[in-house]
Amino acid sequence: LISLTVNGEQHDIDADPQMPLLWALRDLIKLTGTKYGCGIAQCGACTIHIDGQPARACVTTVSAAVGTEIRTIEGLSPDATHPVQQAWIELDVVQCGYCQSGQVMAAAALLEQNPSPTDAEIDAAMNGNICRCGTYPRIRAAVKRAAELMRGGQPA
Amino acid sequence: LSPANTGRRHFLIGVGVIAGGVAAGQLLRPYLVGGSEAAPKEFKPHAFVRIGADDRVTVIIGKSEMGQGVSIGLPMILAEELDVNPQRLAVEIAGIDPAFNHPFIPAQFTGGSMSVMTTYEALRRVGATARRMIVQAAATEWGVPAAQLRTEDGVVFAPDGRSATYGKFVEAASGRPVPAQESVALKNRADFRYIGKPQRRLDSRIKVNGAAQFGIDVNLPNMLVAVVARPPQFGALVRSFDASQARAVRGVVEVKPVPSGVAVIAEHTWAAIKGRGALRIEWRDGPGATLSTARLRTEHRALLARTGLLAKNQGDALAALSEARRKIDVEYELPYLAHACMEPLNAVAWVKNDRCEMWVARKASRRMRYSWRKHSAFRPPTSRSTPPFSVAASGVARVATRIFRSRRRTSPRVSIGRSRWCGRAKTIPAAATTDLLASIGCKRPSAPMVCRSPTSIATSASRYSPTRSSAVR
């Protein structure tokens, strides 16, 4: 058995050590908020945090994740109150929503490291997260709004 | 193409809660009551809406939410006439049910930018009718003429200061006859509280916390996953394949040829993908063997040289052109591209002894049904409404088919599929699903099929492909 710590909980799974973390999360641990888009780290839909850093679960092996703190979209906040989630809701960012777990996780990781990113910094950080609906302008605005909320701004 | 295609039978299925409901049949022929049974303390005057004794107002929409916003756009229209703040609504996406067919086309589908246009009037009438019935129930209970009552955001107010929420009148309203169409007045535009004003989406929250369930997120106990190795060329066929290495992959349960390629069935997605990678397949050319971008271009060029069909002829275009002061000579070419929605197309099937239930991310529910009828021995789906919120995807794109079935010795379990096959994707999920079922011996004549929507929101509808247009001077 391989032991993984996901959202603060320990999960012992029976998996090939080379299995991408994505499938361990989705199929074995049944956390389906992390999405499967391309499987080759080109779309960003499977973005999670490993020890606070954004990572693509589809190309991260289970063995590489042993001993780390894995955080998925389900663990970002207990009730969708993380500033990024609040900003996303406030600005109606989502459309189909399939890429948004990854977008939200990428944005949360960015703001963790850079509390007031510029447009260029946002674009650079979010560059690997593709949105088929084209919500990019709102994503950028919502990242800024989330930064504001993190600095103590009031939710609308 | 009769607008009355839904017929009486569907109406009668759901009519249990209201007496004298026949009038509703005349009210909105194409949108008659659908199949879901209302809970005892629920007022369900129509397939589009339910009001609970707990004041919960649920609007059921027959369109697929693919990001375009129907799950707020349609409910707010009904909410306007019902006089309920749309932000408080619960929204459900219906399964396959003729009650949700297009008014003039006997099919349930989402497309053509027609959702609001074709349901606007009906949604308003349903909302107004439900409101009217609630108000009448209140009038009877309070002994006040209905005309003296007013409503606002789910509350009925009497001139003497009494007020009560809609939920209080749910039981009484359920026993009342549905008023005739002409007797229910619609609001004047000037009185609109919600229509025409910005509304926040209702599905944001579940889409930013991972709770939204897309088709690919449907998880059932002992579900198997299948992926399909599809040909590298359009229409190519399997000549032979060696599955020995694929079968050796831990977690792989079965490898089967299917009409579209070779399916690898496994205990989880990763084993299936790994198994597919270990397949050795020899393909033989099919009808698409000589198809290429270059050939398509040549063919289209040749077509340009021919005289086309005349669609419309108005004025003298050539003369006008010759007199134009500035002439722009540009050619646009669009390559043949996949729509590439982000959620791989997929389907989940649960084959039971006497029926098969499916969860399909789709935008043309009825088409699924036709396709099913064509490809399988199961009876087409029965009318059945579905669990909360759902949605669909589709489009011309990568195809993934995901099938599953219960783990029982007598009936082999099944599968999922994912492929890089591009083409007529609208019919693929059903066809692939049923082909796969057939190939593993799941044919079971006359078993009914129930089609469900995935419990939540959808996938990229892929209406616009990121096409590159090249201008050639």
Side-chain angles (χ1 to χ4, degrees):
Chain A
L1 290 184
I2 294 175
S3 189
L4 296 176
T5 309
V6 183
N7 302 328
E9 269 180 53
Q10 188 185 319
H11 295 268
D12 295 321
I13 56 168
D14 178 16
D16 173 352
Q18 292 307 301
M19 177 191 274
L21 190 52
L22 172 67
W23 300 114
L25 291 171
R26 288 183 54 84
D27 287 1
L28 304 183
I29 301 172
K30 313 285 185 199
L31 289 173
T32 54
T34 304
K35 299 302 183 214
Y36 171 42
C38 66
I40 49 173
Q42 294 298 298
C43 76
C46 67
T47 304
I48 53 164
H49 296 174
I50 293 182
D51 288 336
Q53 297 293 318
R56 305 286 187 248
C58 73
V59 293
T60 305
T61 62
V62 163
S63 60
V66 171
T68 67
E69 288 286 337
I70 300 161
R71 188 151 67 152
T72 69
I73 186 76
E74 289 91 345
L76 191 60
S77 73
D79 47 5
T81 52
H82 185 283
V84 170
Q85 290 168 319
Q86 283 181 301
W88 248 243
I89 293 168
E90 195 181 307
L91 298 187
D92 261 345
V93 172
V94 308
Q95 288 185 32
C96 94
Y98 198 76
C99 73
Q100 298 294 348
S101 297
Q103 305 281 4
V104 166
M105 292 306 278
L110 163 66
L111 292 172
E112 204 59 43
Q113 282 150 24
N114 182 351
S116 29
T118 61
D119 280 355
E121 285 166 341
I122 293 171
D123 290 353
M126 304 296 292
N127 193 33
N129 290 76
I130 291 173
C131 173
R132 190 62 178 69
C133 303
T135 63
Y136 305 114
R138 289 196 188 196
I139 286 174
R140 196 201 263 175
V143 170
K144 289 182 170 174
R145 176 70 181 133
E148 223 171 82
L149 291 171
M150 287 169 97
R151 287 193 296 267
Q154 289 305 305
Chain B
L1 298 182
S2 157
N5 68 76
T6 45
R8 208 173 170 74
R9 190 175 59 84
H10 303 292
F11 170 60
L12 293 174
I13 293 168
V15 87
V17 268
I18 45 169
V22 174
Q26 287 142 6
L27 178 67
L28 298 154
R29 294 190 82 84
Y31 294 102
L32 298 179
V33 175
S36 89
E37 332 74 77
K41 287 224 168 179
E42 244 181 6
F43 172 45
K44 188 175 194 303
H46 191 274
F48 290 0
V49 66
R50 292 198 308 266
I51 303 172
D54 58 356
D55 294 324
R56 187 181 177 83
V57 179
T58 306
V59 175
I60 303 102
I61 64 171
K63 300 294 180 188
S64 298
E65 174 60 85
M66 294 168 275
Q68 81 278 40
V70 272
S71 61
I72 176 64
L74 302 190
M76 71 187 273
I77 297 167
L78 192 148
E80 178 67 65
E81 295 288 351
L82 184 59
D83 256 345
V84 169
N85 186 336
Q87 294 298 316
R88 292 202 293 107
L89 295 175
V91 178
E92 265 183 32
I93 289 176
I96 300 180
D97 189 326
F100 297 97
N101 278 2
H102 187 284
F104 312 120
I105 303 166
Q108 183 180 341
F109 67 92
T110 311
S113 299
M114 289 189 284
S115 295
V116 168
M117 184 169 63
T118 58
T119 56
Y120 182 73
E121 169 99 11
L123 285 162
R124 288 184 65 190
R125 293 213 171 276
V126 171
T129 303
R131 179 190 162 278
R132 162 84 169 260
M133 291 171 76
I134 294 273
V135 166
Q136 281 173 339
T140 304
E141 192 163 318
W142 290 343
V144 177
Q148 291 181 16
L149 300 178
R150 65 179 187 88
T151 55
E152 193 178 330
D153 193 12
V155 182
V156 187
F157 296 92
D160 58 16
R162 274 181 291 181
S163 69
T165 59
Y166 286 3
K168 299 279 185 308
F169 306 109
V170 153
E171 231 173 333
S174 296
R176 303 188 66 85
V178 177
Q181 179 176 4
E182 54 274 15
S183 72
V184 179
L186 298 181
K187 282 186 183 177
N188 291 318
R189 273 165 176 262
D191 298 329
F192 283 173
R193 286 190 174 102
Y194 310 114
I195 291 177
K197 300 186 178 65
Q199 291 290 331
R200 273 194 200 169
R201 302 183 67 106
L202 301 175
D203 54 356
S204 286
R205 188 187 162 89
I206 58 168
K207 286 176 174 180
V208 298
N209 70 2
Q213 198 183 32
F214 293 77
I216 204 165
D217 300 330
V218 173
N219 246 318
L220 297 164
N222 300 320
M223 185 170 89
L224 289 182
V225 172
V227 300
V228 179
R230 297 185 197 260
Q233 168 203 95
F234 285 122
L237 300 161
V238 176
R239 187 195 301 280
S240 66
F241 69 95
D242 173 4
S244 53
Q245 286 178 42
R247 285 180 197 279
V249 172
R250 195 177 141 213
V252 169
V253 174
E254 186 59 279
V255 179
K256 289 271 183 185
V258 292
S260 52
V262 179
V264 178
I265 302 152
E267 284 167 4
H268 49 75
T269 316
W270 172 238
I273 290 173
K274 219 174 149 189
R276 182 177 61 187
L279 283 173
R280 278 194 296 212
I281 306 173
E282 254 195 82
W283 303 95
R284 66 181 163 83
D285 286 354
T290 57
L291 191 70
S292 67
T293 304
R295 190 181 131 191
L296 285 172
R297 189 172 187 274
T298 309
E299 283 178 0
H300 292 167
R301 289 258 149 209
L303 286 170
L304 275 180
R306 285 170 38 186
T307 311
L309 290 173
L310 188 65
K312 189 170 183 179
N313 193 8
Q314 192 181 321
D316 191 344
L318 291 176
L321 266 179
S322 69
E323 289 160 17
R325 226 179 310 153
R326 187 162 161 244
K327 292 172 195 170
I328 300 169
D329 185 8
V330 187
E331 287 185 14
Y332 293 96
E333 289 192 12
L334 296 175
Y336 184 78
L337 280 182
H339 272 276
C341 55
M342 288 194 69
E343 178 187 5
L345 295 193
N346 62 87
V348 177
W350 190 353
V351 179
K352 301 176 178 178
N353 282 331
D354 60 339
R355 67 200 169 123
C356 175
E357 292 185 30
M358 292 187 72
W359 288 255
V360 185
R362 79 288 179 267
K363 56 183 264 181
S365 313
R366 279 288 292 258
R367 198 158 175 164
M368 281 293 305
R369 192 170 169 176
Y370 296 138
S371 188
W372 181 269
R373 193 178 292 157
K374 189 170 159 194
H375 293 280
S376 94
F378 286 97
R379 277 207 307 265
T382 48
S383 294
R384 185 89 171 259
S385 102
T386 53
F389 237 163
S390 78
V391 172
S394 108
V396 183
R398 290 173 170 185
V399 177
T401 301
R402 182 183 192 185
I403 300 178
F404 108 95
R405 72 173 290 169
S406 66
R407 192 187 280 259
R408 248 185 275 140
R409 203 165 279 178
T410 48
S411 39
R413 301 170 296 157
V414 197
S415 58
I416 207 197
R418 170 176 164 85
S419 90
R420 303 191 184 273
W421 193 91
C422 304
R424 294 162 300 143
K426 278 181 186 162
T427 57
I428 299 309
T433 304
T434 52
D435 284 358
L436 212 45
L437 283 172
S439 73
I440 57 156
C442 287
K443 268 193 182 168
R444 210 178 294 275
S446 42
M449 171 194 145
V450 178
C451 209
R452 298 178 177 283
S453 304
T455 32
S456 206
I457 297 309
T459 168
S460 6
S462 45
R463 272 188 60 196
Y464 304 103
S465 52
T467 38
R468 194 170 44 100
S469 62
S470 57
V472 185
R473 275 214 81 106

